[in-house]
Amino acid sequence: MKLLKDDNLVSQWQSLFEDHCKKEIETVALEYPEKRSVFIDYWKIDRVDPELAELLLSQPYKAFFNAEEALKQVDVAVENKLELHFRVFNLPDTSKILIRHIRSSHLGKLMATEGLVKKRTEVRPKLKVGAFQCQKCGAIMKIEQEEDIIKEPSECYEDQGGCGRVSSFKLLSNLSEFIDSQKIEIQENPEGLRGGAQPERISVFLEDDLVGEIAPGDRVVVNGIVHSQQRRRGTFRLTAFNKTMDAVSVDSQELAFEEVEISPEDEEEILKLSKDPKIYEKMKKSIAPTIYGMDVEKDAMILQLFGGVAKEMPDGTRTRGDIHTLFVGDPGTAKSQILTYMSKLSPRSVYASGKASSAAGLTAAAVRDEFGEGQWTLEAGALVQADMGLACIDEIDKMTEQDRSSLHQAMEQQEISVAKAGISATLKSRCAMLAAANPKLG
């Protein structure tokens, strides 16, 4: 890290913080150590000092290191010395990228990517500064850790009061410094995919005060530094690397339909339509226009898309406002066509076929793989991914009775409780369900 230190940069950051961000720093200082991060809008930095803003995107490690050094020197009227993190959000559109478009040219750059949290590990302590004791003379060496693998002293350093000999060392965890860390995996939002494409995923590392806030099924925008991670096959190190991301800040997307972009022309058209007395008829005719008739069914589809009003009672219980619909009809009556059409129409929707789906795939699964380093992790299923949207399930009669009964809690309470492999969690699935089935004697 000493390679990254630049006194000119530190003074540049310091003047920016003292002149323009004093209020944000003082707010965090009052709540320290519960709050340890100063969040600053990228465009605020760009307005004041475009050169620094450019450096943030092209050489983020250097920029963040010097910014955090400068934060230590900002004079805030608090007795204790502050160790604050500097975090940036609201990056420019040129730095926003889909997971599938991340290439080697983006390594080491600050990027923003959005997706759905698929899995997460538990919060684990990570070694930041290791204290090693020499087994020959008993002196204690302090070594900063930057990699995933522990870095030990190569010899007993004389400048740290050691004997200067090559020795073996013991890690003293009570004198070492640790930081919280967590790993999440995000995958592309289902509505952004071209037909039949497999959603791609990326692992994101969270540290210190970012951990513990995110649950599987959340939609997030991660601002972070893209970097590569060494792959191994046994003891051999491979030339192909994994792409990962170090999160700088994470924004949760609470609103359901912010992915829909509306231009001023669209807005005019929407307002014009809203005054049309035949709006309801027009909407009905625009649902699967290639399928003739089915007026009653299309009525039901429209009502389901808009839904009722969810109510929060004074005692904390929630009454759902979503309408669940079951289509029953003989084979060849365009049920699947309508389901496919509806899944494309609703901005947040997931389409699944009951024959090929299991209870775990629809609700949530506890999986054990190399993502969690052999530990159990939760993986969100189709109904959790369709939160605040529409879940279309075809061939629901082909599902086993056991798998079908697992949907009841998701439909009524609109949440999924998981108690598997020592993990007990509740995930939200506030979605309307549209199912299709064949009749018994059809």
Side-chain angles (χ1 to χ4, degrees):
M1 284 302 182
K2 291 183 177 62
L3 298 171
L4 300 176
K5 181 122 192 208
D6 184 332
D7 294 330
N8 294 338
L9 263 183
V10 173
S11 57
Q12 258 180 289
W13 278 115
Q14 197 174 342
S15 62
L16 182 133
F17 291 144
E18 286 179 342
D19 300 343
H20 302 275
C21 308
K22 201 70 186 270
K23 197 171 156 194
E24 287 98 326
I25 296 170
E26 281 171 350
T27 312
V28 175
L30 290 172
E31 296 187 48
Y32 189 81
E34 280 73 37
K35 282 192 175 174
R36 298 185 291 284
S37 291
V38 180
F39 288 90
I40 292 171
D41 193 323
Y42 173 85
W43 294 107
K44 189 173 187 176
I45 302 167
D46 191 66
R47 269 199 309 275
V48 179
D49 193 335
E51 195 186 308
L52 276 184
E54 194 52 48
L55 188 80
L56 264 176
L57 298 178
S58 59
Q59 296 182 35
Y61 284 113
K62 185 175 182 176
F64 280 104
F65 181 79
N66 289 295
E68 288 181 3
E69 286 296 311
L71 271 178
K72 292 175 189 170
Q73 295 169 27
V74 175
D75 184 36
V76 187
V78 187
E79 308 82 71
N80 49 0
K81 199 171 179 327
L82 302 180
E83 287 269 334
L84 297 176
H85 298 291
F86 168 60
R87 303 200 183 281
V88 180
F89 63 95
N90 194 12
L91 295 184
D93 289 342
T94 50
S95 292
K96 288 180 180 160
I97 192 164
L98 289 173
I99 297 173
R100 65 176 57 239
H101 293 158
I102 295 175
R103 299 288 179 264
S104 55
S105 58
H106 298 129
L107 295 177
K109 304 272 195 306
L110 185 62
M111 291 287 180
T113 186
E114 62 176 347
L116 188 92
V117 178
K118 194 71 180 148
K119 324 177 197 175
R120 65 166 190 186
T121 62
E122 75 265 30
V123 179
R124 299 170 179 157
K126 179 183 170 184
L127 191 63
K128 196 180 171 195
V129 179
F132 296 92
Q133 187 173 36
C134 171
Q135 297 293 289
K136 286 182 180 168
C137 68
I140 291 170
M141 315 282 118
K142 292 245 172 150
I143 302 278
E144 262 199 48
Q145 305 292 324
E146 288 151 28
E147 299 292 319
D148 291 347
I149 295 162
I150 284 191
K151 183 174 148 194
E152 286 195 359
S154 52
E155 59 180 55
C156 189
Y157 303 128
E158 288 180 13
D159 58 352
Q160 291 198 33
C163 56
R165 290 178 291 177
V166 177
S167 169
S168 57
F169 294 89
K170 182 186 175 187
L171 177 67
L172 303 175
S173 52
N174 56 338
L175 296 178
S176 300
E177 280 179 48
F178 287 91
I179 193 169
D180 289 329
S181 83
Q182 188 177 26
K183 185 165 127 189
I184 61 169
E185 186 173 76
I186 62 170
Q187 81 169 29
E188 292 172 305
N189 290 331
E191 63 274 4
L193 296 175
R194 293 195 307 280
Q198 185 71 20
E200 293 200 12
R201 307 178 178 194
I202 190 170
S203 295
V204 179
F205 292 91
L206 310 176
E207 279 191 358
D208 205 16
D209 53 347
L210 292 181
V211 303
E213 296 295 309
I214 295 169
D218 289 358
R219 284 163 189 259
V220 293
V221 177
V222 178
N223 306 306
I225 304 166
V226 181
H227 70 100
S228 56
Q229 193 183 34
Q230 181 85 60
R231 287 176 63 191
R232 292 168 180 273
R233 188 180 292 145
T235 53
F236 298 109
R237 296 195 292 183
L238 304 180
T239 52
F241 283 61
N242 289 329
K243 56 187 181 193
T244 60
M245 219 173 178
D246 284 336
V248 170
S249 61
V250 180
D251 305 325
S252 267
Q253 289 182 310
E254 271 304 309
L255 294 169
F257 301 123
E258 61 187 25
E259 302 92 30
V260 184
E261 287 178 12
I262 297 175
S263 65
E265 296 86 54
D266 294 343
E267 202 170 321
E268 252 176 64
E269 190 69 24
I270 291 168
L271 291 170
K272 196 170 108 188
L273 271 172
S274 68
K275 296 182 177 70
D276 189 338
K278 291 190 170 176
I279 176 76
Y280 186 73
E281 285 299 313
K282 281 185 177 174
M283 286 167 82
K284 194 159 74 173
K285 282 180 180 157
S286 70
I287 285 186
T290 50
I291 295 163
Y292 177 75
M294 289 211 176
D295 286 342
V296 178
E297 290 82 352
K298 289 181 183 180
D299 263 354
M301 298 293 98
I302 292 233
L303 297 174
Q304 181 179 34
L305 271 184
F306 289 91
V309 181
K311 294 187 180 71
E312 292 280 347
M313 300 298 172
D315 64 347
T317 52
R318 181 179 183 276
T319 310
R320 69 179 165 89
D322 293 304
I323 301 167
H324 300 310
T325 313
L326 174 66
F327 255 20
V328 181
D330 286 319
T333 47
K335 297 187 302 297
S336 300
Q337 285 274 22
I338 288 189
L339 253 69
T340 314
Y341 193 89
M342 293 303 287
S343 75
K344 287 188 179 131
L345 196 61
S346 174
R348 263 191 194 185
S349 62
V350 171
Y351 180 90
S353 172
K355 198 170 187 179
S357 307
S358 67
L362 289 172
T363 55
V367 289
R368 192 178 198 166
D369 56 13
E370 64 186 54
F371 172 77
E373 282 115 39
Q375 300 284 336
W376 289 94
T377 51
L378 260 192
E379 190 166 323
L383 293 179
V384 180
Q385 290 177 29
D387 186 28
M388 307 293 278
L390 181 70
C392 303
I393 301 177
D394 205 356
E395 309 269 353
I396 199 163
D397 56 320
K398 309 285 188 296
M399 282 172 80
T400 62
E401 194 56 49
Q402 244 170 330
D403 289 350
R404 223 178 6 245
S405 64
S406 70
L407 304 178
H408 294 173
Q409 188 198 3
M411 289 166 74
E412 184 45 53
Q413 274 76 40
Q414 301 221 306
E415 53 186 34
I416 289 164
S417 305
V418 184
K420 293 178 183 176
I423 301 170
S424 58
T426 305
L427 306 175
K428 297 261 177 258
S429 67
R430 295 158 295 188
C431 62
M433 195 185 292
L434 171 60
N438 295 333
K440 197 171 184 181
L441 303 167

